[in-house]
Amino acid sequence: MTDQNIFMAISAFLRSFLGPLLGNDLTDMVMYGAGLLGVIIFIFTNAVILVLMERKVAAFMQSRLGPNRVGPWGLLQTVADTLKLLVKEDYKPHKVDTWVWALGPALLFIPAIGAYAVIPFDYQAVPVDLNIGIFYFIAISSLSTLPFLMAGWGSNNKYSLIGGMRSVAQMISYEVPLIFSLIGVIMLVGSLQMSAIVEAQHRIWFVFLQPVAFVIYVIAATAETNRTPFDLVECEGEIIAGPFTEYSGMRWAMFFLAEYANLVAVSAIATTLFLGGWQPLPLPGALGDLMAFIPGWAWFAAKTYFMIFLFMWFRWTFPRFRVDQLMAFGWKVLIPLSLANILVTGVGIYLYRMAIGG
Amino acid sequence: MVNEWIYAGAFYGLAALTLLSAAGVVFLKDIVHSALLLAASFIGVAGIYVLLNADFLAAVQVLIYGGAVAILIAFGVMLTRRPHMKETNANNRWVVWGAFTAAFTFAICGWAIAFTQFKPIDATPAQVTAIDGIATQLLGDFVVPFEAAALLLTVALIGAIILAKGAKEA
């Protein structure tokens, strides 16, 4: 485990540069601003990569041609897409509820960015290491239902409204198993602090101790981000594009930026809670030393992208659920299963303590 | 010095957000707008909790109150059957009585605040690890009442579902 990493080096450099100029208080403020800017750049960079990656993965999964004309290997496809979105006409449909309609996509971005405040990107590289970290994440991500509903309601379109209503039903239902699946990990660690959760996986990743919770988390997170097979909010056969129907250009792009931001966030949380965060693969002997040589942020990025790839794999392999099946699956399968997981974890911890004579 | 300015600015900003959106909840005619402003008001209160270093309370406020507004809007939209949403918040005929009650309440509160002897207290900051205390209390000392309350709520939930579905189907 290295005590020094790239984030700390950058932060120390900035501080040494700004400190004499601005004094302590202002430097702290500027550092917070720099952290926020870093997170926003991180989100946009990821979104740019993911727009391309989604199509490449789709092409790979379904053996068809992905983007391959714009630039080498189609790498500039995202640039072309962005340009197209920026120059599109920004129309406003007749009789929309103007403020609600216009604020929807903008507000959707706040919980998406806010969620990144507690994600530990590397050793001691957490924007804000709250001692209620994971609880904060749950609270802030519960807010992302409202903008969807605002977009659906404000658009003055019945399909959009149905989409908005479905997003409320779906996101609220699947939030319960999502939270319950995290409780197993929290019980093992005894802390809600993200850095403590990562430290606790020094020996063994929680995906091996909590496999059921991991599966429940992945399913519920897919539903929370409204991605296939749970994308009933926008499924084109039934309700066109749901809440996004009446948006164009940049407003429409905000929805997709937020979707990708959320996708990265839930993947990062899965990495932190189940895959050991920035910790290297715990292998014995020289192989372990070799693994520890790779920097923490690289481990974190690799694991996060593995999770993103998993979510994309789901999207292009599984057929879509029906709306009643979706609700029944959430309430009748996932919630009892996650409750059982909590019970088994509790009994397991009790037995373990008895075994080691505590 | 700078920190105090920022703190004061944040407090007044959040207070303005909370109070203005609370006023909007009452005065707007459209029930969906009212509900959305209610969410803004709740989030403003959560921000004030953050300024007071009550992180846990703020997160609870956002999770429980902020999240629940979405359901409130869903019910509001489904249950109000008016052709125009602009008049879904019903008018109150008892404006005079309402104004009188509000003025009376305000007068009592003002009187209480004006005549209370506020004593300066020792400015010991609240415990940073308050959540540890909550955890041991809730899951250790008071685990049985906590579980009983949870069970009671589940029973009530199932009962509500059976009542809503109708006895014959259930």
Side-chain angles (χ1 to χ4, degrees):
Chain A
M1 197 190 305
T2 47
D3 280 356
Q4 195 67 29
N5 61 50
I6 189 164
F7 296 99
M8 290 160 97
I10 292 174
S11 134
F13 170 73
L14 273 180
R15 269 185 188 282
S16 69
F17 182 68
L18 291 171
L21 277 176
L22 299 171
N24 274 335
D25 284 357
L26 266 181
T27 309
D28 283 350
M29 291 305 303
V30 172
M31 292 306 290
Y32 271 119
L36 185 64
L37 193 69
V39 164
I40 290 173
I41 291 172
F42 178 79
I43 291 173
F44 277 84
T45 320
N46 273 302
V48 166
I49 298 169
L50 292 184
V51 169
L52 185 70
M53 182 178 162
E54 181 112 62
R55 294 198 217 170
K56 285 286 190 189
V57 172
F60 172 65
M61 291 286 162
Q62 302 183 341
S63 51
R64 61 187 187 193
L65 289 176
N68 58 2
R69 299 299 169 92
V70 197
W73 307 290
L75 277 179
L76 295 177
Q77 183 64 46
T78 323
V79 179
D81 287 339
T82 318
L83 280 176
K84 187 196 85 178
L85 282 175
L86 284 174
V87 298
K88 250 190 177 177
E89 185 193 352
D90 181 25
Y91 68 81
K92 175 174 166 260
H94 193 48
K95 283 191 176 171
V96 291
D97 195 336
T98 311
W99 279 98
V100 177
W101 175 78
L103 278 176
L107 289 183
L108 189 60
F109 228 65
I110 295 177
I113 293 180
Y116 284 85
V118 291
I119 292 175
F121 295 99
D122 200 343
Y123 177 63
Q124 289 197 344
V126 196
V128 188
D129 199 8
L130 291 176
N131 62 358
I132 54 162
I134 191 67
F135 189 65
Y136 166 86
F137 174 79
I138 292 165
I140 212 88
S141 61
S142 78
L143 280 181
S144 57
T145 343
L146 267 179
F148 271 113
L149 194 56
M150 284 171 76
W153 168 256
S155 292
N156 193 24
N157 171 335
K158 61 185 162 198
Y159 296 109
S160 300
L161 181 60
I162 294 171
M165 289 296 181
R166 279 190 184 181
S167 85
V168 175
Q170 177 176 330
M171 291 172 91
I172 287 175
S173 305
Y174 278 80
E175 213 167 78
V176 182
L178 185 87
I179 295 171
F180 282 174
S181 71
L182 301 181
I183 287 178
V185 170
I186 295 165
M187 284 164 77
L188 290 179
V189 183
S191 171
L192 296 167
Q193 198 170 13
M194 292 298 219
S195 52
I197 293 171
V198 178
E199 298 282 353
Q201 299 175 75
H202 185 55
R203 292 253 175 74
I204 183 166
W205 297 354
F206 286 147
V207 66
F208 301 115
L209 296 180
Q210 290 281 323
V212 180
F214 180 68
V215 171
I216 296 170
Y217 176 82
V218 170
I219 296 173
T222 317
E224 284 286 298
T225 47
N226 292 325
R227 290 175 63 83
T228 326
F230 298 97
D231 64 340
L232 295 150
V233 170
E234 48 181 298
C235 98
E236 60 259 32
E238 292 168 46
I239 52 172
I240 318 163
F244 326 135
T245 312
E246 303 288 2
Y247 291 88
S248 76
M250 234 12 239
R251 294 181 203 273
W252 182 85
M254 290 296 271
F255 281 105
F256 272 73
L257 279 176
E259 180 182 325
Y260 282 130
N262 283 328
L263 179 65
V264 177
V266 293
S267 305
I269 292 292
T271 304
T272 307
L273 266 78
F274 293 103
L275 300 178
W278 44 263
Q279 304 255 26
L281 202 63
L283 291 177
L287 218 51
D289 292 342
L290 192 69
M291 291 292 145
F293 185 69
I294 301 170
W297 58 267
W299 278 108
F300 184 82
K303 290 172 189 172
T304 307
Y305 265 82
F306 170 74
M307 287 307 300
I308 292 172
F309 178 73
L310 201 66
F311 284 122
M312 287 187 173
W313 188 351
F314 288 169
R315 173 160 186 177
W316 299 108
T317 359
F318 290 123
R320 189 177 283 130
F321 272 73
R322 216 170 55 211
V323 107
D324 56 323
Q325 291 171 336
L326 171 103
M327 297 311 265
F329 182 65
W331 287 99
K332 291 180 184 166
V333 179
L334 285 186
I335 292 180
L337 200 63
S338 53
L339 283 172
N341 182 59
I342 293 172
L343 182 72
V344 171
T345 309
V347 172
I349 291 173
Y350 187 72
L351 289 178
Y352 179 73
R353 279 199 191 137
M354 285 226 303
I356 61 169
Chain B
M1 189 60 192
V2 181
N3 278 337
E4 278 172 27
W5 276 97
I6 291 166
Y7 184 87
F11 174 77
Y12 284 113
L14 288 168
L17 171 73
T18 310
L19 293 178
L20 288 178
S21 34
V25 174
V26 181
F27 289 119
L28 289 185
K29 294 291 175 210
D30 187 329
I31 196 166
V32 176
H33 290 176
S34 285
L36 289 172
L37 284 176
L38 190 63
S41 182
F42 285 148
I43 292 165
V45 174
I48 289 175
Y49 287 150
V50 171
L51 287 186
L52 294 171
N53 281 332
D55 297 346
F56 183 70
L57 200 58
V60 170
Q61 169 88 6
V62 169
L63 182 68
I64 294 178
Y65 289 95
V69 170
I71 307 175
L72 194 72
I73 296 175
F75 279 133
V77 172
M78 283 191 289
L79 296 180
T80 46
R81 291 167 181 266
R82 297 274 182 118
H84 297 294
M85 289 306 284
K86 290 207 169 110
E87 48 209 46
T88 39
N89 262 359
N91 281 317
N92 202 330
R93 279 166 296 158
W94 298 344
V95 180
V96 181
W97 280 105
F100 178 73
T101 315
F104 185 66
T105 314
F106 188 75
I108 288 184
C109 289
W111 177 78
I113 292 168
F115 289 96
T116 308
Q117 297 282 325
F118 288 106
K119 286 177 189 162
I121 52 159
D122 291 336
T124 43
Q127 273 197 342
V128 185
T129 53
I131 187 159
D132 292 350
I134 295 171
T136 40
Q137 294 271 303
L138 212 56
L139 300 176
D141 302 348
F142 295 101
V143 67
V144 174
F146 181 62
E147 288 287 319
L151 209 64
L152 215 64
L153 281 173
T154 316
V155 170
L157 192 73
I158 294 170
I161 292 169
I162 290 171
L163 279 180
K165 278 191 78 176
K168 262 182 278 176
E169 279 180 80

